[in-house]
Amino acid sequence: MQNEALPRQALQNLNGGSTWGRIARRTASVIVLSVGLAACNATTSITDLFGTQRGAPVETANQPAVDPTGAPDQGLIPDANPWPSDAALPEGEGVELPTLYNDEAAVFEKRVALLLPLSGQHADLGRAMRHAAELAMFDIAGDDFVLMPIDTAGTYQGGQNAARQAVDAGAKMILGPLFSESVSGASEVAKAANVPVIAFSNNRRVAENGVWVSGLIPEDQIARAVGYATTQGHFRFAALLPQNDYGRQIASALNGVVSRVGGSLGRVAFYQPGSESLQQTIRDFANYDARRANLRAHKAQLEADGSAGAKRALRRLEGVDTFGELDFDALILPATGGDLRQVSALLAYFDIDPSVVQFIGTFGWNDPGLFAEPALKGGIFAAPNPENWNLFANRFERTFGSQPPRISSLAYDSAALAALMARDENGITRDALTNPSGFVGVDGIFRLTADGQSERGYAIMQIQPDGAKVIAPAPATFDQVF
């Protein structure tokens, strides 16, 4: 099925009532759940389609224009008239599904479980991701495809129980869970039943053969941004990381990431977010005291010289805090939110100039609350191209009345991938899932690897006075990925 396009579904010819009836037959749950869905044109290529954060929880401690002819034509993005008109979208929150499945139906139905936190503190997020998956199902799925949302409650035991219910109900694939703890619980059951799992976590530690991590992985974002930085003449890298599991995970990948693109990694320092020692940590990292002493010594030499040239040099040093170059010209800084504001302000205070040193972040920087920070001006980070996400988010809002959380793209793309696989005569197979050409979705090109990892093509965004702008587009094929 490589490079095979899917036919469009002319759903706008259906009235609202028939649309809801069709969805009611194809979406069910291991518990009674209400369903809200929208009609839309079919799509033809499989990719990660989606863009900016809205405060959704992520796995890390800090929180996470493609040419359609250039990417493998296996994806979820519509090939023309990307989203249907508002007239094609039914009204309302949906219908109650009163029952489950029976053994006879299991013979011909292609069932895929969707494991999400549908109760507890993250229930709103789980519900939004479920809606995104339902949109994908309606775009791509055949009439024999059944999506089964099951609640994990965001826990290890919940993930384990949900996976057991999915397997018992005849699931051919499991999408989710969201949190790594739930993934660990679900994977034990799924592996024993030989049911593939595409998890929404961005913690690659829970990836293994048959359990794929499909989240937007920070290490891969850093790799893309570091590679771009070398094309701009930056080869000497340093890193300032939070002292937590997230920071240590980033640190473990840095040497490989930097060396792969011909750079060198120098100092790597850890700080305790929000601690009283933060200021001293960054002062030491900036080598501020030594550079301050260099300035005093240099000024003393110029004053002793007394020549006209020395006097001009002294005037140029007025208002300067330090003297001498840093031993790095690019700084990897994966903090986000309030931590990033605090750290970047201290970096500026201790004379690390972002106009000289290239600051490098992660997709967590795609936060309008950070764009006005002077110390981050010119900073870069890797992210999916925003165009498809904007289309998806607008459509989601028209359908469900609210903007989707950024992470909902994962649910859409994985559900669309499952529906596409299910349409193949061979069904859902690991060989098909790990197609090396990959797929195209809301967030651009992506592919799943044999060891449970995922790879993506990211754009490079730069923080500018009027927001984050794409300065290097996402690659259209994997031979262009750093």
Side-chain angles (χ1 to χ4, degrees):
M1 54 184 291
Q2 187 169 1
N3 295 330
E4 178 180 348
L6 296 178
R8 287 190 171 278
Q9 301 167 359
L11 297 178
Q12 48 275 61
N13 295 329
L14 301 176
N15 62 33
S18 60
T19 296
W20 285 120
R22 184 181 182 207
I23 293 306
R25 291 192 298 272
R26 291 169 51 207
T27 307
S29 169
V30 179
I31 57 176
V32 177
L33 298 171
S34 65
V35 177
L37 250 162
C40 65
N41 258 342
T43 60
T44 58
S45 63
I46 289 188
T47 61
D48 277 347
L49 306 176
F50 305 63
T52 58
Q53 283 185 324
R54 292 183 66 249
V58 298
E59 285 304 306
T60 65
N62 286 318
Q63 289 285 10
V66 175
D67 177 1
T69 65
D73 189 16
Q74 301 186 38
L76 312 178
I77 299 178
D79 52 4
N81 300 321
W83 306 115
S85 68
D86 290 344
L89 303 175
E91 302 278 337
E93 179 60 19
V95 296
E96 289 290 328
L97 298 175
T99 188
L100 252 185
Y101 314 96
N102 57 62
D103 291 340
E104 182 180 353
V107 174
F108 61 85
E109 287 181 345
K110 296 174 180 177
R111 299 174 178 178
V112 170
L114 178 66
L115 274 54
L116 290 168
L118 298 173
S119 64
Q121 63 176 322
H122 300 303
D124 288 345
L125 173 61
R127 188 178 306 111
M129 294 185 72
R130 174 185 169 179
H131 285 333
E134 290 166 346
L135 288 178
M137 183 191 76
F138 203 54
D139 288 349
I140 301 293
D143 288 333
D144 57 353
F145 184 88
V146 176
L147 187 68
M148 305 188 299
I150 308 176
D151 184 17
T152 67
T155 67
Y156 175 91
Q157 190 64 51
Q160 192 174 61
N161 292 340
R164 188 171 293 112
Q165 292 178 72
V167 170
D168 290 346
K172 305 299 190 296
M173 176 188 286
I174 290 174
L175 309 179
L178 173 57
F179 301 111
S180 57
E181 184 178 8
S182 299
V183 176
S184 296
S187 62
E188 294 182 6
V189 176
K191 286 189 301 178
N194 200 32
V195 174
V197 175
I198 300 181
F200 304 139
S201 170
N202 65 359
N203 186 344
R204 62 194 334 160
R205 294 178 182 177
V206 297
E208 54 183 312
N209 185 16
V211 179
W212 286 274
V213 171
S214 69
L216 306 180
I217 297 173
E219 298 97 309
D220 293 345
Q221 298 161 31
I222 291 172
R224 168 67 167 125
V226 163
Y228 175 81
T230 62
T231 69
Q232 307 303 302
H234 300 279
F235 293 94
R236 297 176 297 132
F237 293 87
L240 187 58
L241 311 172
Q243 182 69 53
N244 52 31
D245 286 343
Y246 172 55
R248 287 186 288 272
Q249 185 172 326
I250 296 292
S252 68
L254 284 184
N255 271 315
V257 163
V258 172
S259 63
R260 263 199 316 272
V261 294
S264 62
L265 181 64
R267 65 180 64 194
V268 176
F270 291 86
Y271 63 90
Q272 190 65 44
S275 70
E276 294 181 359
S277 64
L278 178 60
Q279 179 169 320
Q280 187 61 49
T281 298
I282 296 180
R283 185 185 190 113
D284 294 342
F285 179 80
N287 199 24
Y288 181 78
D289 292 335
R291 295 164 64 218
R292 184 77 171 161
N294 287 344
L295 176 64
R296 289 194 296 267
H298 186 59
K299 282 184 173 180
Q301 290 177 345
L302 293 174
E303 288 168 352
D305 183 299
S307 66
K311 290 178 181 178
R312 287 194 297 272
L314 279 169
R315 285 194 294 272
R316 288 195 296 269
L317 292 174
E318 291 176 1
V320 173
D321 290 335
T322 61
F323 183 77
E325 291 186 358
L326 292 160
D327 56 2
F328 56 90
D329 59 15
L331 175 58
I332 297 166
L333 190 63
T336 60
D339 284 349
L340 180 58
R341 278 190 288 272
Q342 187 177 19
V343 168
S344 63
L346 286 170
L347 287 169
Y349 183 78
F350 291 116
D351 213 27
I352 296 183
D353 186 349
S355 68
V356 177
V357 175
Q358 177 65 70
F359 285 11
I360 295 172
T362 64
F363 186 41
W365 284 26
N366 198 29
D367 176 356
L370 298 171
F371 296 159
E373 294 295 322
L376 295 177
K377 182 181 177 182
I380 63 171
F381 60 93
N385 269 342
E387 295 174 2
N388 286 321
W389 165 259
N390 292 335
L391 291 171
F392 167 80
N394 290 338
R395 175 182 170 221
F396 187 102
E397 184 174 26
R398 293 198 307 269
T399 307
F400 300 111
S402 62
Q403 277 284 306
R406 176 60 187 83
I407 201 171
S408 62
S409 61
L410 303 178
Y412 182 97
D413 282 352
S414 63
L417 175 59
L420 180 62
M421 298 291 102
R423 293 172 72 99
D424 187 79
E425 61 181 10
N426 296 318
I428 298 170
T429 67
R430 297 193 185 195
D431 285 345
L433 289 171
T434 55
N435 183 337
S437 295
F439 309 97
V440 181
V442 174
D443 291 326
I445 60 172
F446 73 98
R447 64 183 175 188
L448 307 176
T449 62
D451 60 354
Q453 304 294 335
S454 61
E455 298 176 348
R456 297 177 180 274
Y458 291 105
I460 296 296
M461 309 281 287
Q462 185 178 59
I463 294 180
Q464 298 177 1
D466 55 346
K469 305 296 182 184
V470 175
I471 58 172
T477 59
F478 275 99
D479 59 5
Q480 300 172 331
V481 175
F482 280 108

Short mmCIF file of all heavy atoms in Angstrom, two decimals, residues 134-179:
data_model
loop_
_atom_site.label_atom_id
_atom_site.label_comp_id
_atom_site.label_asym_id
_atom_site.label_seq_id
_atom_site.Cartn_x
_atom_site.Cartn_y
_atom_site.Cartn_z
N GLU A 134 -11.96 10.64 16.76
CA GLU A 134 -13.23 10.41 16.08
C GLU A 134 -13.29 11.14 14.74
O GLU A 134 -13.83 10.62 13.76
CB GLU A 134 -14.37 10.83 16.99
CG GLU A 134 -14.56 9.89 18.18
CD GLU A 134 -15.45 10.46 19.27
OE1 GLU A 134 -15.73 11.68 19.26
OE2 GLU A 134 -15.86 9.67 20.13
N LEU A 135 -12.72 12.33 14.71
CA LEU A 135 -12.67 13.04 13.42
C LEU A 135 -11.86 12.24 12.41
O LEU A 135 -12.25 12.13 11.24
CB LEU A 135 -12.05 14.42 13.62
CG LEU A 135 -12.87 15.48 14.33
CD1 LEU A 135 -12.07 16.77 14.46
CD2 LEU A 135 -14.18 15.75 13.60
N ALA A 136 -10.74 11.70 12.84
CA ALA A 136 -9.92 10.91 11.93
C ALA A 136 -10.66 9.66 11.47
O ALA A 136 -10.59 9.28 10.30
CB ALA A 136 -8.62 10.52 12.63
N MET A 137 -11.35 9.04 12.39
CA MET A 137 -12.12 7.86 12.03
C MET A 137 -13.14 8.19 10.95
O MET A 137 -13.32 7.46 9.98
CB MET A 137 -12.82 7.30 13.27
CG MET A 137 -13.60 6.03 13.01
SD MET A 137 -14.66 5.59 14.41
CE MET A 137 -15.98 6.77 14.18
N PHE A 138 -13.79 9.31 11.11
CA PHE A 138 -14.81 9.70 10.14
C PHE A 138 -14.17 10.06 8.80
O PHE A 138 -14.78 9.87 7.75
CB PHE A 138 -15.61 10.87 10.70
CG PHE A 138 -16.97 10.99 10.08
CD1 PHE A 138 -17.83 9.92 10.07
CD2 PHE A 138 -17.37 12.19 9.52
CE1 PHE A 138 -19.09 10.04 9.50
CE2 PHE A 138 -18.62 12.31 8.94
CZ PHE A 138 -19.50 11.24 8.94
N ASP A 139 -12.96 10.57 8.82
CA ASP A 139 -12.26 10.93 7.58
C ASP A 139 -11.82 9.70 6.79
O ASP A 139 -11.86 9.69 5.57
CB ASP A 139 -11.01 11.76 7.89
CG ASP A 139 -11.34 13.17 8.35
OD1 ASP A 139 -12.51 13.57 8.24
OD2 ASP A 139 -10.41 13.85 8.81
N ILE A 140 -11.32 8.69 7.48
CA ILE A 140 -10.57 7.63 6.82
C ILE A 140 -11.24 6.27 6.87
O ILE A 140 -11.14 5.48 5.95
CB ILE A 140 -9.16 7.50 7.47
CG1 ILE A 140 -8.40 8.80 7.36
CG2 ILE A 140 -8.36 6.38 6.83
CD1 ILE A 140 -8.03 9.18 5.96
N ALA A 141 -11.94 5.96 7.96
CA ALA A 141 -12.29 4.58 8.26
C ALA A 141 -13.36 4.02 7.33
O ALA A 141 -14.26 4.73 6.88
CB ALA A 141 -12.76 4.48 9.71
N GLY A 142 -13.26 2.72 7.10
CA GLY A 142 -14.30 1.99 6.41
C GLY A 142 -15.44 1.67 7.36
O GLY A 142 -15.35 1.87 8.58
N ASP A 143 -16.53 1.15 6.81
CA ASP A 143 -17.72 0.88 7.62
C ASP A 143 -17.49 -0.22 8.64
O ASP A 143 -18.25 -0.32 9.62
CB ASP A 143 -18.89 0.50 6.72
CG ASP A 143 -19.42 1.70 5.95
OD1 ASP A 143 -19.27 2.82 6.44
OD2 ASP A 143 -19.99 1.49 4.85
N ASP A 144 -16.47 -1.05 8.43
CA ASP A 144 -16.23 -2.14 9.38
C ASP A 144 -15.22 -1.76 10.46
O ASP A 144 -14.85 -2.59 11.29
CB ASP A 144 -15.73 -3.39 8.64
CG ASP A 144 -14.46 -3.13 7.83
OD1 ASP A 144 -14.05 -1.96 7.73
OD2 ASP A 144 -13.90 -4.10 7.29
N PHE A 145 -14.79 -0.49 10.48
CA PHE A 145 -13.82 -0.03 11.48
C PHE A 145 -14.56 0.45 12.72
O PHE A 145 -15.50 1.24 12.63
CB PHE A 145 -12.98 1.11 10.90
CG PHE A 145 -11.88 1.59 11.80
CD1 PHE A 145 -10.63 1.01 11.76
CD2 PHE A 145 -12.09 2.63 12.69
CE1 PHE A 145 -9.60 1.46 12.58
CE2 PHE A 145 -11.08 3.09 13.52
CZ PHE A 145 -9.84 2.50 13.46
N VAL A 146 -14.13 -0.03 13.89
CA VAL A 146 -14.77 0.34 15.16
C VAL A 146 -13.72 0.90 16.10
O VAL A 146 -12.70 0.26 16.36
CB VAL A 146 -15.47 -0.87 15.80
CG1 VAL A 146 -16.05 -0.48 17.16
CG2 VAL A 146 -16.57 -1.40 14.89
N LEU A 147 -13.96 2.10 16.61
CA LEU A 147 -13.07 2.73 17.59
C LEU A 147 -13.64 2.51 18.99
O LEU A 147 -14.82 2.77 19.24
CB LEU A 147 -12.96 4.23 17.30
CG LEU A 147 -11.95 5.02 18.11
CD1 LEU A 147 -10.53 4.62 17.76
CD2 LEU A 147 -12.15 6.51 17.88
N MET A 148 -12.79 2.03 19.90
CA MET A 148 -13.25 1.68 21.25
C MET A 148 -12.54 2.54 22.29
O MET A 148 -11.43 2.20 22.71
CB MET A 148 -12.97 0.20 21.53
CG MET A 148 -13.55 -0.75 20.49
SD MET A 148 -13.41 -2.50 20.96
CE MET A 148 -11.63 -2.71 21.09
N PRO A 149 -13.09 3.68 22.70
CA PRO A 149 -12.47 4.49 23.76
C PRO A 149 -12.58 3.79 25.11
O PRO A 149 -13.66 3.34 25.51
CB PRO A 149 -13.27 5.78 23.74
CG PRO A 149 -14.06 5.75 22.46
CD PRO A 149 -14.30 4.32 22.18
N ILE A 150 -11.48 3.71 25.85
CA ILE A 150 -11.46 3.06 27.16
C ILE A 150 -10.67 3.94 28.12
O ILE A 150 -9.59 4.43 27.79
CB ILE A 150 -10.82 1.65 27.08
CG1 ILE A 150 -11.49 0.81 25.99
CG2 ILE A 150 -10.93 0.95 28.43
CD1 ILE A 150 -10.84 -0.55 25.79
N ASP A 151 -11.19 4.10 29.31
CA ASP A 151 -10.60 4.98 30.31
C ASP A 151 -9.42 4.31 31.01
O ASP A 151 -9.52 3.18 31.49
CB ASP A 151 -11.67 5.34 31.33
CG ASP A 151 -11.20 6.34 32.37
OD1 ASP A 151 -10.16 7.01 32.17
OD2 ASP A 151 -11.87 6.44 33.41
N THR A 152 -8.30 5.05 31.09
CA THR A 152 -7.13 4.57 31.86
C THR A 152 -7.02 5.26 33.21
O THR A 152 -6.21 4.82 34.04
CB THR A 152 -5.83 4.85 31.09
OG1 THR A 152 -5.62 6.27 31.02
CG2 THR A 152 -5.86 4.26 29.70
N ALA A 153 -7.74 6.36 33.40
CA ALA A 153 -7.63 7.20 34.59
C ALA A 153 -6.22 7.74 34.78
O ALA A 153 -5.90 8.31 35.82
CB ALA A 153 -8.06 6.43 35.86
N GLY A 154 -5.36 7.59 33.78
CA GLY A 154 -4.01 8.15 33.83
C GLY A 154 -3.07 7.41 34.76
O GLY A 154 -2.04 7.98 35.17
N THR A 155 -3.35 6.15 35.10
CA THR A 155 -2.52 5.41 36.06
C THR A 155 -1.97 4.13 35.44
O THR A 155 -2.44 3.67 34.39
CB THR A 155 -3.33 5.03 37.31
OG1 THR A 155 -4.35 4.08 36.93
CG2 THR A 155 -3.97 6.26 37.94
N TYR A 156 -0.99 3.54 36.12
CA TYR A 156 -0.43 2.26 35.68
C TYR A 156 -1.51 1.18 35.67
O TYR A 156 -1.69 0.48 34.67
CB TYR A 156 0.72 1.85 36.61
CG TYR A 156 1.30 0.48 36.30
CD1 TYR A 156 2.37 0.35 35.42
CD2 TYR A 156 0.77 -0.65 36.89
CE1 TYR A 156 2.90 -0.90 35.13
CE2 TYR A 156 1.29 -1.90 36.61
CZ TYR A 156 2.35 -2.02 35.73
OH TYR A 156 2.87 -3.27 35.44
N GLN A 157 -2.21 1.05 36.80
CA GLN A 157 -3.24 0.02 36.89
C GLN A 157 -4.36 0.28 35.91
O GLN A 157 -4.91 -0.65 35.30
CB GLN A 157 -3.80 -0.04 38.32
CG GLN A 157 -4.70 -1.24 38.58
CD GLN A 157 -3.96 -2.56 38.46
OE1 GLN A 157 -2.91 -2.74 39.09
NE2 GLN A 157 -4.48 -3.47 37.66
N GLY A 158 -4.70 1.56 35.73
CA GLY A 158 -5.72 1.90 34.76
C GLY A 158 -5.33 1.53 33.35
O GLY A 158 -6.15 1.04 32.56
N GLY A 159 -4.06 1.76 32.99
CA GLY A 159 -3.58 1.36 31.68
C GLY A 159 -3.62 -0.14 31.50
O GLY A 159 -4.00 -0.65 30.42
N GLN A 160 -3.24 -0.87 32.52
CA GLN A 160 -3.26 -2.33 32.46
C GLN A 160 -4.68 -2.86 32.30
O GLN A 160 -4.95 -3.72 31.45
CB GLN A 160 -2.62 -2.88 33.73
CG GLN A 160 -2.31 -4.37 33.69
CD GLN A 160 -1.55 -4.79 34.94
OE1 GLN A 160 -2.06 -4.66 36.06
NE2 GLN A 160 -0.35 -5.31 34.75
N ASN A 161 -5.60 -2.33 33.10
CA ASN A 161 -6.99 -2.78 33.02
C ASN A 161 -7.61 -2.43 31.67
O ASN A 161 -8.36 -3.22 31.08
CB ASN A 161 -7.82 -2.15 34.14
CG ASN A 161 -7.42 -2.67 35.51
OD1 ASN A 161 -6.80 -3.73 35.63
ND2 ASN A 161 -7.76 -1.92 36.54
N ALA A 162 -7.31 -1.23 31.19
CA ALA A 162 -7.88 -0.79 29.90
C ALA A 162 -7.37 -1.67 28.76
O ALA A 162 -8.13 -2.04 27.86
CB ALA A 162 -7.53 0.67 29.65
N ALA A 163 -6.08 -2.00 28.78
CA ALA A 163 -5.53 -2.86 27.74
C ALA A 163 -6.16 -4.25 27.79
O ALA A 163 -6.43 -4.87 26.75
CB ALA A 163 -4.02 -2.96 27.89
N ARG A 164 -6.41 -4.74 29.00
CA ARG A 164 -7.03 -6.06 29.13
C ARG A 164 -8.45 -6.04 28.56
O ARG A 164 -8.86 -6.95 27.84
CB ARG A 164 -7.05 -6.49 30.59
CG ARG A 164 -7.51 -7.93 30.81
CD ARG A 164 -7.31 -8.37 32.25
NE ARG A 164 -5.89 -8.46 32.58
CZ ARG A 164 -5.26 -7.67 33.42
NH1 ARG A 164 -5.92 -6.69 34.02
NH2 ARG A 164 -3.97 -7.81 33.67
N GLN A 165 -9.20 -4.97 28.83
CA GLN A 165 -10.53 -4.84 28.25
C GLN A 165 -10.45 -4.75 26.73
O GLN A 165 -11.30 -5.33 26.02
CB GLN A 165 -11.21 -3.59 28.81
CG GLN A 165 -11.57 -3.68 30.29
CD GLN A 165 -12.20 -2.39 30.79
OE1 GLN A 165 -13.34 -2.09 30.45
NE2 GLN A 165 -11.45 -1.63 31.58
N ALA A 166 -9.46 -4.03 26.23
CA ALA A 166 -9.32 -3.89 24.77
C ALA A 166 -9.03 -5.23 24.12
O ALA A 166 -9.64 -5.59 23.10
CB ALA A 166 -8.18 -2.91 24.47
N VAL A 167 -8.12 -5.98 24.69
CA VAL A 167 -7.78 -7.29 24.13
C VAL A 167 -8.98 -8.23 24.20
O VAL A 167 -9.31 -8.94 23.23
CB VAL A 167 -6.57 -7.89 24.88
CG1 VAL A 167 -6.36 -9.34 24.49
CG2 VAL A 167 -5.31 -7.08 24.60
N ASP A 168 -9.68 -8.23 25.33
CA ASP A 168 -10.84 -9.09 25.49
C ASP A 168 -11.96 -8.73 24.51
O ASP A 168 -12.75 -9.60 24.11
CB ASP A 168 -11.38 -9.01 26.92
CG ASP A 168 -10.46 -9.66 27.94
OD1 ASP A 168 -9.53 -10.41 27.51
OD2 ASP A 168 -10.63 -9.41 29.14
N ALA A 169 -12.02 -7.45 24.13
CA ALA A 169 -13.05 -7.00 23.19
C ALA A 169 -12.63 -7.18 21.74
O ALA A 169 -13.36 -6.77 20.84
CB ALA A 169 -13.40 -5.54 23.46
N GLY A 170 -11.46 -7.74 21.50
CA GLY A 170 -11.04 -8.04 20.13
C GLY A 170 -10.28 -6.94 19.43
O GLY A 170 -10.26 -6.91 18.19
N ALA A 171 -9.62 -6.04 20.17
CA ALA A 171 -8.86 -4.96 19.52
C ALA A 171 -7.71 -5.52 18.71
O ALA A 171 -6.96 -6.38 19.19
CB ALA A 171 -8.34 -3.99 20.58
N LYS A 172 -7.55 -5.01 17.51
CA LYS A 172 -6.41 -5.39 16.65
C LYS A 172 -5.23 -4.45 16.85
O LYS A 172 -4.12 -4.74 16.42
CB LYS A 172 -6.83 -5.35 15.17
CG LYS A 172 -8.06 -6.20 14.85
CD LYS A 172 -7.83 -7.66 15.14
CE LYS A 172 -8.96 -8.53 14.60
NZ LYS A 172 -10.26 -8.27 15.23
N MET A 173 -5.48 -3.29 17.48
CA MET A 173 -4.43 -2.32 17.76
C MET A 173 -4.89 -1.48 18.94
O MET A 173 -6.10 -1.30 19.15
CB MET A 173 -4.16 -1.42 16.54
CG MET A 173 -3.14 -0.30 16.80
SD MET A 173 -3.03 0.88 15.42
CE MET A 173 -2.12 -0.10 14.24
N ILE A 174 -3.93 -0.96 19.70
CA ILE A 174 -4.23 -0.06 20.80
C ILE A 174 -3.58 1.29 20.51
O ILE A 174 -2.38 1.36 20.23
CB ILE A 174 -3.71 -0.61 22.14
CG1 ILE A 174 -4.55 -1.84 22.55
CG2 ILE A 174 -3.75 0.44 23.24
CD1 ILE A 174 -4.04 -2.54 23.79
N LEU A 175 -4.36 2.35 20.57
CA LEU A 175 -3.86 3.73 20.45
C LEU A 175 -3.85 4.34 21.85
O LEU A 175 -4.85 4.29 22.56
CB LEU A 175 -4.76 4.55 19.53
CG LEU A 175 -5.08 3.93 18.16
CD1 LEU A 175 -6.00 4.85 17.38
CD2 LEU A 175 -3.81 3.64 17.39
N GLY A 176 -2.71 4.96 22.25
CA GLY A 176 -2.54 5.41 23.62
C GLY A 176 -1.86 4.29 24.40
O GLY A 176 -1.41 3.30 23.82
N PRO A 177 -1.77 4.46 25.73
CA PRO A 177 -2.24 5.58 26.53
C PRO A 177 -1.40 6.85 26.35
O PRO A 177 -0.46 6.87 25.56
CB PRO A 177 -2.13 5.05 27.96
CG PRO A 177 -2.05 3.57 27.86
CD PRO A 177 -1.34 3.33 26.55
N LEU A 178 -1.75 7.85 27.16
CA LEU A 178 -1.09 9.14 27.07
C LEU A 178 0.15 9.23 27.95
O LEU A 178 1.22 9.63 27.51
CB LEU A 178 -2.09 10.25 27.45
CG LEU A 178 -1.55 11.67 27.57
CD1 LEU A 178 -0.87 12.11 26.28
CD2 LEU A 178 -2.66 12.63 27.96
N PHE A 179 0.03 8.87 29.22
CA PHE A 179 1.13 9.03 30.17
C PHE A 179 1.98 7.76 30.23
O PHE A 179 1.47 6.64 30.11
CB PHE A 179 0.59 9.39 31.55
CG PHE A 179 -0.21 10.65 31.56
CD1 PHE A 179 -1.58 10.64 31.77
CD2 PHE A 179 0.41 11.87 31.33
CE1 PHE A 179 -2.32 11.80 31.77
CE2 PHE A 179 -0.32 13.05 31.32
CZ PHE A 179 -1.68 13.01 31.53
#
